[in-house]
Each structure stands twice: as C-alpha cells, then as structure tokens.
Amino acid sequence: MSFLLPVVVLTGLFLALAGGLIVAERVLINYGICQIDINAGGRALEVDGGQTLLSALYGEEIFIPSACGGRGACSYCKVTVLSGGGPVLPTETPYLTRKEVRSGARLACQVKVREDIELRIPEELLNVKLFSATVERTISVTHDIKEVRLALLEPEEISHQPGQYAQVRAPSPDGPVFRAYSISSPVYEPRVVELIVRLVPGGIGSTYLHNVQEGDTVTFTGPFGEFRLNEDPQVEIVCVGGGCGMAPMRNIIYSLYERWPERACWLFFGCRTTQDIFYLDEYEQLAREHPNFRVIYALSDPLEPGEQWDGETGFIHLSVDKHLEAGVKRQAFLCGPPPMIEAVTRVLEEKGLRPDDIFYDKF
Ligand SMILES: Cc1cc2nc3c(=O)[nH]c(=O)nc-3n(C[C@H](O)[C@H](O)[C@H](O)COP(=O)(O)OP(=O)(O)OC[C@H]3O[C@@H](n4cnc5c(N)ncnc54)[C@H](O)[C@@H]3O)c2cc1C
Ligand code: FES
C-alpha cells in the first residue's frame, strides 16, 4: 500500500495546481472586451473576455445547441472558428474529425474568449429564440414518461420543422442548465410546444419537467436540429423510435398527415414491456383514417405471466427488416438509444437508403 502514498500526493498536488491556475485566470487575468465577428460581418459583438464562447454567445442571445449543458460531452455546440480560438483542446479532440479540425470546427463550450474571434455559424442559428411559456397541462403516459404541454407566452408563436428540438432551462444548485427535448406537437400548432419526457433518476432536466405544475413558467430556446422532411410526396417516410424517442416521431407523423393525407409512412416503435406502451390507440385510429400509415410496436423483453400482447416481439430493427422491402424511395428518422440507432441504420442501408436520407438523434 505504501506505493499509493506518492501517487495520492502527486495527484493532490496536480489537482491543487490546476485549480489554482483556473482561479488565478478568473481572478487575476483580465482579457478586457473582445470582438466576435460572426459570418464575415453578419453580426459583430463585443463581449467580456474570459468566458466560454458558448456563454458569450448566449449572453448576446445567440443560442448554440448545447445538449449536455456545456460539459463537453455532446458535441452539439460545434462552430467554425476562423481565427482567435487558441489551440484545439484535448477535451475537444474526441468529438472532431481531422477534416473538421482542419476546417476550424470547435466546441463552443470549450473555447475560451481570450482575444478577438472570427466565427462562422449556420445562418438559421441566428434565428433561434428564447421563449417563455406557461405549463398548460402534464399527463403521465407511462410509469416514467410524462407529456408536458406548454402554451407560449413570449414570443407567442414558434416556427419549427417536424423533428426539431428545444433546450429547456432547468434550475440546479450550480445554476441553470439546458437540456434538449424534441418538440412532439405538430408544426401546425405554433402557439404550443409539447414535450415527452422520460424521467432519468437523479437527472436535473427530466426531474424538473416531471415536477412542473400547471401555471408554472418554463423557459426554453429553440428550435434546433437538422431533421428536414422531404417535400416530395412520393418519398415514403420511416419513423423508428424507442422510449422518449417518440417525441419527434409524433410531430413528424401528425405534421405529415395534415399536409399529405395520402402519404406513405411507417412508425416502428420499440418498447421493453407492455408497461412502456403509449399512444398506440391513437396511432391505430390515425391508421384507420390514413390507410398508407402503418404502425408497428414491438416488445423486446419476454412477456411476464399474465401479460397480454399479440403484437410483434424482439428488437425493433428486426421489425424494420421484416416489413420494409428493398428498393423503395424513402427517408428515415430515428430517435432512441445509440445501439438501436446503429442497428436500424444498418438495416436501412441494406434496404438501399443512403446515409443522407437517414436522420437521427441519439439519446
Ligand atoms: C437532440 C436531443 C433530443 C432529446 N429529446 C428528448 C426527449 O424528447 N425526451 C426526453 O426525455 N429526453 C430527450 N433527450 C435527452 C435529454 O436531453 C436529457 O439528456 C435527459 O432528459 C437526461 O437529462 P437530465 O438532466 O434529467 O439528467 P442529467 O442530470 O443530465 O443526468 C443525470 C445522470 O443520469 C445519467 N443519464 C443521463 N441521460 C441518461 C439516459 N438517457 N439514460 C440513463 N442515464 C442517463 C447521466 O450520466 C447522469 O449520471 C434528448 C437529447 C437530445 C440530445
Ligand atoms: S455543449 Fe455539449 S459538448 Fe459543448
């Protein structure tokens, strides 16, 4: 055990030194006011140096996606820094390909503003807004999933694409954090935003949303995300979800049938047990109204004694494989845990879908 002592002492010294440097940077070094130039003169900002690029942009109401709340764990906050961002940090390299590094991609939550910065961000992010809304109702749809319906206060309307998401601000002991939640209400209801939230035990954002009460005010930014529905009505739509991955699918399906009542669309939804099934009755009704809509739920866990289920069983990618014939022009939207996304993507590629036609959010 004696060999452990030097290791513990060295680690302690290293941590103390790193902590000291962080505090010294915060307290002693004043970077003054720095200029941020966005999209070659499109927007010019003056911000206090010393903060992260993500915070500096947030302070100017430019909302970059940050699904992990700035912890350097999601890579959603990628921006292109053309000059002034300093060297790429070890906390960024796992999320950046060599090509991205060469083109200046950086994680905005890891870049510190220490000098003037030239930045490029997608134009649509400049239109992302901060919304306040009141909780209109909450409904438990399963033992761990709640539907939360928000009526917008300011601005009164949101314009989003089916499958996009919002970032909800949740209080935490260390200050507010943001968490991403897909918008489940359809695009033709611009005055509301509905969310479908699975409770993660001990999770900050999901616990907050599971406890909001009717009349509470909720703040969020949005819309974010790259899901874009193909406008060609001949292209079949395939939605595959699991758990709270239902939210974007619901938006896509209802928005789709409002606009193209005849369009072909599949919903494959994976649940573990019958306890996890929700919205199935509603989708079966929708399928009666729109004969080109097919809905398939599958249970992955074996049935418990006394549990009734005459639908499909097994992992959802097996159902996708079983039902979809190859060679049809399709676009697919996938939402759920990473192993599900990977397995379904493989099946869809075997059926002839190109990577560009497969959109996904892993969570
Ligand atoms: C684009 C996008 C869209 C999303 N849409 C939805 C949605 O519609 N509905 C929804 O419910 N969620 C959605 N999520 C996930 C959501 O953003 C949060 O990550 C999730 O609610 C957990 O956040 P939290 O603050 O409750 O937990 P945290 O406080 O972040 O985490 C608490 C602990 O739980 C662990 N943990 C975090 N997430 C999970 C998980 N999924 N399963 C198990 N353990 C976990 C963490 O490692 C940590 O130890 C989406 C995520 C992304 C990136
Ligand atoms: S906000 Fe998640 S990596 Fe930057």
Side-chain angles (χ1 to χ4, degrees), residues 54 65-77 107 109:
L54 187 70
S66 57
C68 72
R71 288 175 295 182
C74 71
S75 83
Y76 275 67
C77 63
L107 300 187
C109 68

Side-chain angles (χ1 to χ4, degrees), residues 67 71 76 179-182 196-198 200 203-206 244 247 363:
R71 288 175 295 182
Y76 275 67
R179 294 289 186 270
Y181 294 96
S182 305
I196 296 172
V197 183
R198 191 171 75 84
V200 171
I204 298 168
S206 58
C244 53
F363 54 82

Side-chain angles (χ1 to χ4, degrees), residues 223-245:
F224 298 101
E226 286 164 12
F227 282 22
R228 293 287 178 275
L229 203 52
N230 191 314
E231 299 273 313
D232 177 354
Q234 301 309 317
V235 173
E236 202 170 285
I237 300 299
V238 179
C239 296
V240 190
C244 53

Side-chain angles (χ1 to χ4, degrees), residues 4-20:
L4 275 179
L5 190 62
V7 176
V8 171
V9 171
L10 270 177
T11 311
L13 274 174
F14 177 75
L15 289 176
L17 189 64

Side-chain angles (χ1 to χ4, degrees), residues 17 82 99 343:
L17 189 64
L82 301 172
K99 195 170 161 209

Side-chain angles (χ1 to χ4, degrees), residues 151-362:
L152 302 189
L153 294 170
E154 181 61 44
E156 287 179 350
E157 295 198 348
I158 184 168
S159 163
H160 57 101
Q161 299 287 327
Q164 284 193 300
Y165 64 93
Q167 290 202 165
V168 175
R169 182 155 71 187
S172 89
D174 303 323
V177 297
F178 281 85
R179 294 289 186 270
Y181 294 96
S182 305
I183 301 173
S184 64
S185 44
V187 295
Y188 55 82
E189 286 184 4
R191 287 171 169 260
V192 297
V193 160
E194 238 171 54
L195 310 173
I196 296 172
V197 183
R198 191 171 75 84
L199 183 66
V200 171
I204 298 168
S206 58
T207 305
Y208 165 67
L209 285 169
H210 268 244
N211 286 298
V212 290
Q213 304 292 322
E214 215 179 290
D216 285 355
T217 301
V218 170
T219 307
F220 64 87
T221 54
F224 298 101
E226 286 164 12
F227 282 22
R228 293 287 178 275
L229 203 52
N230 191 314
E231 299 273 313
D232 177 354
Q234 301 309 317
V235 173
E236 202 170 285
I237 300 299
V238 179
C239 296
V240 190
C244 53
M246 172 62 83
M249 309 303 158
R250 193 164 169 77
N251 182 345
I252 291 167
I253 290 163
Y254 279 92
S255 301
L256 187 90
Y257 281 114
E258 157 82 5
R259 192 156 165 213
W260 295 286
E262 308 299 325
R263 195 151 174 184
C265 174
W266 297 79
L267 170 63
F268 294 95
F269 192 66
C271 303
R272 289 181 57 207
T273 72
T274 50
Q275 309 267 307
D276 303 310
I277 294 175
F278 62 111
Y279 294 151
L280 178 56
D281 294 346
E282 267 187 46
Y283 288 126
E284 285 177 341
Q285 175 58 31
L286 194 72
R288 282 189 282 277
E289 293 161 18
H290 301 275
N292 290 330
F293 177 48
R294 298 282 311 278
V295 51
I296 289 146
Y297 278 44
L299 301 187
S300 58
D301 282 6
L303 291 181
E304 296 288 334
E307 215 177 358
Q308 289 290 319
W309 176 247
D310 53 11
E312 305 211 350
T313 53
F315 288 115
I316 199 66
H317 68 279
L318 300 174
S319 298
V320 175
D321 191 28
K322 180 170 129 191
H323 289 276
L324 296 187
E325 74 277 27
V328 176
K329 217 169 162 205
R330 296 193 177 100
Q331 189 187 34
F333 298 93
L334 324 178
C335 254
M340 184 209 94
I341 304 280
E342 279 140 32
V344 175
T345 301
R346 269 196 305 277
V347 170
L348 291 173
E349 287 183 351
E350 277 162 24
K351 303 279 175 189
L353 267 85
R354 292 174 304 137
D356 284 358
D357 293 324
I358 305 174
F359 292 78
Y360 58 82
D361 272 332
K362 292 182 183 175

